[in-house]
Amino acid sequence: MIDAFKFRSFAMVLSLTVPSALVSGADNTGLTPAAAADLLYQLESLQVEVSQLRGKVDEQSHELAKMKRNQLDRYIDLDKRLTLLLNKPSPLPSVVSANPAIPQNTVVSAPPVSNASIIPAPILIEKPTPEIQGVYRSAYELVRSKDYKAADNAFSAFVTKYPSNELTGNAYYWLGELKLVLGDKEQALENFAIVSSRFSGHAKEADALYKSGIVYDQLNQKDKARSLLSQVVDRYPETNTSKLASGYLSNIK
């Protein structure tokens, strides 16, 4: 940045020394006092313009940082709203009404059953408090900043501390993504599987199934990959994830 004091000092010296040295000549190459004064005026005008531009840059930098914070907050809020919508209990109203020990501010969700003779216990999904939302947001910000190892540790701590929160399914999904980035496909599959088994109907379930299908294909388990990708196409036909799964299915050899 231009130092205002140095700028003004340079202009003053220029206006005083150049005219005194050249005014006696006042020929085609000489600089008259009027010209020197005009030069000083132009230099000071340039200084003002630079200061104004610097102020605008600082203001725009502040607005950009504010927009980034707002974008993250909107994503977290949308993520939470989708989770709330998809985790609303419809097939289990009797479980809630028959058990007075279940708090009224919880949502009941049951994992899918592969064997009709086995009735799994419902999972109590707790609503996130502002404190929990802050912890989740901090972990997700590490993903955005590409600090993957720290994000992995943060989300691992989150699912341990809050095993049955509405945001826990999201945390398991991001753990799966992070494990892929860190090169641990087996752990990635485990985390993706938790999303669909413990948090059935979660907003991230389609994505978890889709990513699992890709990983199984990479592990050369083609039948498993086709099965998972077909589930995405059949169960979530109107989603973008379904289109991605359908396209990937067509390329599996």
Side-chain angles (χ1 to χ4, degrees), residues 84-231:
L84 283 170
L85 178 64
L86 294 179
N87 279 342
K88 284 185 177 180
S90 55
L92 297 172
S94 60
V95 176
V96 179
S97 60
N99 191 347
I102 299 177
Q104 293 184 356
N105 66 339
T106 61
V107 180
V108 178
S109 176
V113 183
S114 58
N115 188 331
S117 63
I118 301 175
I119 306 298
I123 298 174
L124 302 183
I125 306 298
E126 302 168 354
K127 295 183 181 297
T129 63
E131 178 185 358
I132 294 175
Q133 292 178 21
V135 175
Y136 179 90
R137 187 181 294 111
S138 297
Y140 182 72
E141 186 62 30
L142 293 171
V143 178
R144 289 172 56 87
S145 62
K146 299 182 181 181
D147 192 351
Y148 300 127
K149 187 61 179 177
D152 179 73
N153 292 334
F155 276 121
S156 295
F158 185 93
V159 299
T160 299
K161 188 173 182 180
Y162 310 107
S164 302
N165 196 270
E166 286 175 353
L167 292 174
T168 306
N170 303 63
Y172 273 114
Y173 172 80
W174 286 113
L175 276 173
E177 292 279 17
L178 289 164
K179 295 299 184 184
L180 287 180
V181 173
L182 297 173
D184 193 340
K185 293 182 179 179
E186 295 297 333
Q187 282 293 319
L189 288 172
E190 289 185 16
N191 285 292
F192 288 142
I194 290 175
V195 177
S196 56
S197 62
R198 286 183 53 191
F199 301 89
S200 178
H202 193 279
K204 291 292 186 183
E205 184 177 8
D207 292 333
L209 291 171
Y210 170 65
K211 288 300 179 68
S212 295
I214 294 176
V215 176
Y216 276 115
D217 179 51
Q218 294 172 350
L219 294 174
N220 204 32
Q221 299 186 38
K222 306 297 184 181
D223 291 341
K224 186 69 174 178
R226 292 190 186 92
S227 174
L228 291 170
L229 293 170
S230 296
Q231 286 187 52

